[in-house]
Amino acid sequence: MTLSRRTFLAATLALPATPPIAEPLPLRVLARRKGLAYGCCVTCGALDQPDLAQAILREAGLLVPEWEAKRGRVEKRRGHLDFSAADRLAGFAAAHAMAFRGHALVWHLSNPAWLEEVLAAPAPDRALLTDYVTAAVGHFRGRVSSWDVVNEAVEPKDGRPDGLRDSPWLRAFGPGYLDAAFHAARAADPAAELVYNDYGLDTPDAWQQDRQRVVLRLLAGFRARGVPCDALGIQGHLKAFSGTFDAGHFRRFLGEVAALGYGVVITEMDVADEGGPADAVARGRAQAALARRYLDAALAEPATRAVVTWGLSDRTTWLKGQHPLPFDESLHRKPLWHAIAAAFAAAPPRPRK
Ligand code: XIL
C-alpha cells in the first residue's frame, strides 16, 4: 500500500494529517488592501476580556473609545481632567500600530452634571467649550489621528430655521459654538482630521432627508466661513427591518458631501435586527444583505476613507438583543462579518496617499 506524501510526513513527523483550516483574512487587512481603514469602538472592559481583546487585535486597524473620552467620564469634577481610561485605550492602539479616533469633544449627551448647570446659567463663559477642546486635543496630540469634534448638532424636529439641535451648547453660545470648537481643535493639533459626526443620514426616509439637507447646509457654511472641518462622520446605525435603504440616494448624498471637499467616515456602523422574524438565520441574512448594499454604496464614493463598527461583537453592543455586530457573543463570525469582508474585497482601491 503506497502512502500519500502528506500521510507519510504526518506519520513520521507528527504533522497534522489534515491541513489546518485557514483563518479568513481580518477585516483590517481586507480594508487596508484597498487603502481603507476598518476598526471598531472599544472599552477598557472589552480589553479585560482576553478572547475579545484578541479578536479586536486581529480584526481592527483602528480603535475609538466607546465612552472613555466623553466629557462625562473625563471631567467629572470641573477643572479636573482624567484621561486615564482613554489613555489606556490609546496606549493599546499605539502598542499594536492601530490608528486611534477621538470621540466626542462636544455633544449634548454624556456631559457631567456640573457642566449642564453652568451652561444653563446666565452668560456662560465660552472657555467652557474652547478650553476643554484645547485641553483634550492637546493631551492626545500626535496619538489621535481623527476627532469627532462636534457630535449630533443637527435636529430639524427642534424647529429652528437652521435645523440645529436646541442643545445646551446652542443655548449657551449660539450656532457659532460649532465653529469655535473646530477652530480650537485645529489649533491644538493641526495634524488631526477634524470630523462633524451625526446619525440619520443613511436613507431616503423623510426625517433622514431633512437631516441630510441640514447637514449639507452646515458643511457648506463651514466652508464659506473657513471652519477647519475635514470630514463628515456618518454614524451608520442601520436597521435591517425598518426604513428603506436606497443606494442611489445614499450615493448622491455622499457625492454632495464630497463635492464640498469633505472626506467621509462611517463612524459607528451597526445593523440592528429588531422587528425581524423569529428565524435567526433569516435575520442574519437580512442584516448581511443591508450591510453589503450600504457599504457598496459608501465605498463607491472615493471620499469614503474608513469604516468603524460600533463594537466588534454582540457581546458588548449598546443595542442589547439586536445582534448588530460582525461577531456573535461567542466570537464566531456572522453573515454580517462576511458581508463587510465582501464589501471591502469589492471596493474600488483608494489612491495611495
Ligand atoms: C453610546 C454608547 O455605545 C453607550 O454605551 C452609551 O451608554 C451611550 O452612548 N451615537 C454616539 C455614541 O455618538 O457616542 C453613542 O454611544 C451611540 C450613539
Side-chain angles (χ1 to χ4, degrees), residues 274-286:
E274 66 175 340
D279 176 357
V281 171
R283 292 201 309 271
R285 197 176 293 130

Side-chain angles (χ1 to χ4, degrees), residues 124-146:
D125 185 343
R126 202 162 78 161
L128 278 166
L129 169 76
T130 53
D131 283 2
Y132 178 77
V133 171
T134 300
V137 176
H139 177 83
F140 288 103
R141 181 169 177 150
R143 297 188 288 156
V144 166
S145 59
S146 173

Side-chain angles (χ1 to χ4, degrees), residues 66-67 70 103 107 151-152 197 235 237 268 310 318:
E66 184 167 4
W67 53 266
K70 291 171 178 172
H103 173 83
W107 192 23
N151 193 33
E152 303 183 359
N197 193 49
Q235 293 183 7
H237 294 299
E268 307 179 14
W310 205 239
W318 70 306

Side-chain angles (χ1 to χ4, degrees), residues 78 111-124 128 168 171-172:
R78 184 174 184 175
N111 286 312
W114 68 264
L115 178 62
E116 307 269 357
E117 290 159 19
V118 175
L119 285 174
L128 278 166
R171 290 195 292 273

